[in-house]
Amino acid sequence: MQIYLPIAEVSVNVFLLFGLGGLVGVLSGMFGVGGGFLITPLLFFMGIPPAVAVATGANQIVASSVSGVLAHLKRKTVDLRMGTVLLGGGLVGAALGVYVFNLLKQVGQVDLLVRLCYVVFLGIIGSLMFVESLRALRRSKKGGPPKRRHHGWVHGLPLKMRFRTSGLYISAIPPVMVGLSVGVLSAIMGVGGGFIMVPAMIYLLGMPTKVVVGTSLFQIIFVTAFTTMLHAVTNYTVDILLALVLLIGGVIGAQFGTAFGTRLKAEQLRILLASLVLLVCGKLALDLFLTPADLYELGVQ
């Protein structure tokens, strides 16, 4: 059944959109990512304009993340203090990212920027996660003792805070910078930033994997909601009908994803996430080099 999206100005299959929202919801619950790294490119492939896909995709991420974080709160696997620090940086980054997005939209380069950002960031993060996850999986199969965490430069910074749920006593500066970076990416790429935040929280901040997922989702909720609001009032690119269909599927899928995630080992979760990131990156990179079906398009100046 086809429905017409007024802001995107295209007709799409409603059941396909619902299934896409459900898939992203499953990923949100399993990996602690908003799923924007997957839903936004897939909306590109369905013919949704990149500006609309970015703004509306961020809106859907809010719903699936809320559904996922509620399940994690019941399990007490959310570090609220760490999430609040990450959120502070994320809100500032989101405002900065929307400003850059608007500047590039005025000069007509926003579509290319969004696609290039996806290829670069997904390629780097996916490759690093995949290699590290394979090593961790091999270590777990050998049955050797896990590597002890070494104190690095992060632990020598000032403004230290104690994060009891994560069992950490570190500077607040790295979490703020991580949140700032994720906020910028959320505004420009329409992602929750979990595909960057989750590895950063594990390998940079040293947080336990079981706490990372819920804490990531907590921060994603507020940053993506703020990003959606800014896009709506400055760009008018949030398609409510598109967001509603994706939202319903995402809320349902997140509950199933949370249940699946508890049955898999941390190493298995990370290698699955890395594989998905690389798959999407490969598809986007291929589309940049292939000749498009329509060489020209009309635009209103």
Side-chain angles (χ1 to χ4, degrees):
M1 183 176 71
Q2 298 289 116
I3 60 171
Y4 180 74
L5 304 175
I7 303 299
E9 298 182 340
V10 295
S11 295
V12 294
N13 188 297
V14 65
F15 297 111
L16 183 60
L17 280 180
F18 182 80
L20 178 58
L23 174 62
V24 171
V26 170
L27 293 176
S28 175
M30 286 182 67
F31 303 121
V33 297
F37 75 92
L38 181 62
I39 199 169
T40 307
L42 288 178
L43 289 175
F44 295 166
F45 304 151
M46 293 173 63
I48 307 296
V52 177
V54 166
T56 309
N59 180 77
Q60 188 273 343
I61 292 166
V62 177
S64 58
S65 297
V66 167
S67 181
V69 83
L70 288 175
H72 283 283
L73 282 170
K74 291 179 182 178
R75 296 180 172 87
K76 298 182 179 180
T77 53
V78 180
D79 190 329
L80 293 175
R81 193 173 192 187
M82 176 65 78
T84 304
V85 175
L86 290 166
L87 177 60
L91 295 178
V92 175
L96 179 61
V98 170
Y99 176 74
V100 174
F101 188 93
N102 291 341
L103 288 179
L104 290 166
K105 188 180 179 184
Q106 291 174 8
V107 298
Q109 297 298 321
V110 70
D111 291 4
L112 178 61
L113 171 73
V114 171
R115 294 177 186 272
L116 285 175
C117 281
Y118 267 101
V119 172
V120 172
F121 282 102
L122 294 185
I124 294 173
I125 298 299
S127 299
L128 292 175
M129 283 185 65
F130 191 82
V131 171
E132 198 284 333
S133 298
L134 281 178
R135 290 175 180 170
L137 201 59
R138 288 172 184 168
R139 286 197 300 267
S140 64
K141 286 183 178 180
K142 290 179 181 178
K147 284 188 175 181
R148 295 183 62 185
R149 298 188 185 277
H150 297 284
H151 288 275
W153 61 272
V154 172
H155 298 84
L157 295 175
L159 302 177
K160 289 190 176 182
M161 294 179 63
R162 191 174 300 280
F163 303 97
R164 298 188 183 280
T165 306
S166 300
L168 297 176
Y169 180 61
I170 60 173
S171 169
I173 296 175
V176 169
M177 297 308 297
V178 170
L180 181 72
S181 303
V182 169
V184 172
L185 293 178
S186 177
I188 295 177
M189 299 170 63
V191 298
F195 69 94
I196 288 181
M197 178 168 288
V198 170
M201 292 165 76
I202 294 173
Y203 306 121
L204 179 63
L205 305 182
M207 292 179 62
T209 303
K210 66 176 183 179
V211 179
V212 164
V213 174
T215 307
S216 173
L217 288 176
F218 172 80
Q219 188 265 0
I220 285 171
I221 291 170
F222 298 99
V223 171
T224 49
F226 183 62
T227 299
T228 301
M229 183 189 69
L230 290 179
H231 276 299
V233 299
T234 60
N235 298 321
Y236 311 107
T237 49
V238 177
D239 194 307
I240 299 299
L241 185 57
L242 172 61
L244 181 62
V245 177
L246 294 172
L247 184 150
I248 296 171
V251 170
I252 297 172
Q255 297 302 315
F256 288 101
T258 303
F260 295 152
T262 57
R263 299 178 183 178
L264 296 175
K265 294 181 179 179
E267 294 83 4
Q268 294 172 325
L269 283 173
R270 292 204 296 270
I271 202 168
L272 283 174
L273 179 58
S275 300
L276 280 170
V277 169
L278 289 174
L279 187 64
V280 174
C281 174
K283 171 61 177 170
L284 282 171
L286 187 63
D287 286 348
L288 283 176
F289 289 101
L290 291 178
T291 304
D294 298 319
L295 293 177
Y296 303 98
E297 65 178 18
L298 297 177
V300 179
Q301 298 294 330

